[in-house]
Amino acid sequence: MNMQNLVESKFDPDLAIVDEICAAGEPWVQRVNKGQIFRIVDLEGNQAVDTLFFNANHASERYSATDTVRRQNRLYLTTGSKLYSNYGNVMLTIVSDTCGRHDTLGGACAAESNTVRYALEKYPMHSCRDNFLHALAHDPLCKQLEMSKRDLPSNINFFMNVPVTAAGDLEFVDGVSAPGKYVEMRAEMDVVVLISNCPQLNNPCNAYNPTPIRLLIWN
Ligand SMILES: [Zn+2]
């Protein structure tokens, strides 16, 4: 990991216009306007924060993992990374990061992936896909944008450690994050943030223990 990526923020939590806790395993939706700063804090360490971004005016434009990876020739996200949309526009820029590395490849956990990766009886366990679908169906911001199941692209996993081996395999391993580490980004357009604070209980990425996160926004 390149330590030059570790950049602390100058923003004071006391001055934030949004300062909320998202409980372990819960979804969270919020609008972030162009120029605003958005911070995610990994309160207890090694939590996976499955995150999607949509253009706040038309959800057909959304975060694109392939555009983000391809345009920067980088698999991991950290300070300086730009988050591109499927239309090739920069949606957000990461401006501070005390964790150092965030995953673009691992995707969201789902009932189906839990049965394939772990065991058939894991099917009823709560998952990020369930969180996303619940928010898409019930959250006022998502409903306003007339979003549905078809609006779920591949997500970012903030704080999650999914190294790619020399052979090209993905590994899901214990994290690079720790209590209080955060990632902060500047919105380059008006966006809607859709988070699933991962409820996964079968994966070493979060030490088999989902924990709360803190979300802050500054003007
Ligand atoms: Zn998950």
Side-chain angles (χ1 to χ4, degrees):
M1 193 185 306
N2 183 348
M3 289 305 162
Q4 287 174 344
N5 296 334
L6 300 178
V7 175
E8 293 195 15
S9 169
K10 58 186 188 306
F11 289 93
D12 179 354
D14 289 341
L15 301 177
I17 58 165
V18 170
D19 185 355
E20 295 179 3
I21 300 290
C22 175
E26 292 294 312
W28 187 84
V29 184
Q30 183 63 258
R31 184 184 168 113
V32 183
N33 289 326
K34 183 178 179 179
Q36 288 183 326
I37 300 288
F38 172 54
R39 181 191 295 180
I40 309 171
V41 186
D42 184 4
L43 288 173
E44 298 185 27
N46 288 351
Q47 176 60 6
V49 184
D50 293 50
T51 306
L52 292 165
F53 298 100
F54 300 88
N55 182 318
N57 300 307
H58 50 93
S60 59
E61 179 167 27
R62 73 282 297 266
Y63 165 75
S64 163
T66 42
D67 287 87
T68 297
V69 168
R70 179 170 51 81
R71 281 169 179 265
Q72 297 169 105
N73 293 320
R74 272 188 67 87
L75 282 178
Y76 307 121
L77 305 175
T78 185
T79 309
S81 296
K82 295 178 188 311
L83 310 183
Y84 281 89
S85 76
N86 55 332
Y87 291 1
N89 298 313
V90 179
M91 304 187 82
L92 303 101
T93 303
I94 297 179
V95 292
S96 300
D97 182 19
T98 62
C99 174
R101 195 163 100 182
H102 307 272
D103 167 64
T104 58
L105 299 174
C109 63
E112 292 78 6
S113 68
N114 281 344
T115 62
V116 173
R117 278 186 190 143
Y118 309 113
L120 201 54
E121 61 267 26
K122 306 292 186 184
Y123 188 83
M125 293 177 80
H126 190 41
S127 70
C128 285
R129 187 169 171 81
D130 289 347
N131 268 339
F132 285 148
L133 292 175
H134 183 84
L136 289 174
H138 300 290
D139 182 85
L141 276 173
C142 295
K143 283 166 83 173
Q144 201 180 324
L145 287 168
E146 299 180 342
M147 286 155 75
S148 69
K149 193 174 174 179
R150 72 194 304 170
D151 293 304
L152 280 185
S154 297
N155 57 280
I156 296 171
N157 290 305
F158 285 112
F159 307 110
M160 189 157 113
N161 190 24
V162 186
V164 180
T165 69
D169 295 317
L170 292 185
E171 291 185 332
F172 289 74
V173 294
D174 191 7
V176 288
S177 189
K181 298 223 175 202
Y182 59 82
V183 59
E184 194 171 278
M185 54 214 96
R186 181 181 62 239
E188 311 293 3
M189 65 170 69
D190 297 346
V191 296
V192 168
V193 184
L194 171 53
I195 282 175
S196 166
N197 192 21
C198 185
Q200 182 58 256
L201 293 170
N202 304 292
N203 189 318
C205 286
N206 61 4
Y208 309 95
N209 178 33
T211 50
I213 52 170
R214 183 181 178 189
L215 296 312
L216 302 103
I217 299 173
W218 289 264
N219 272 327

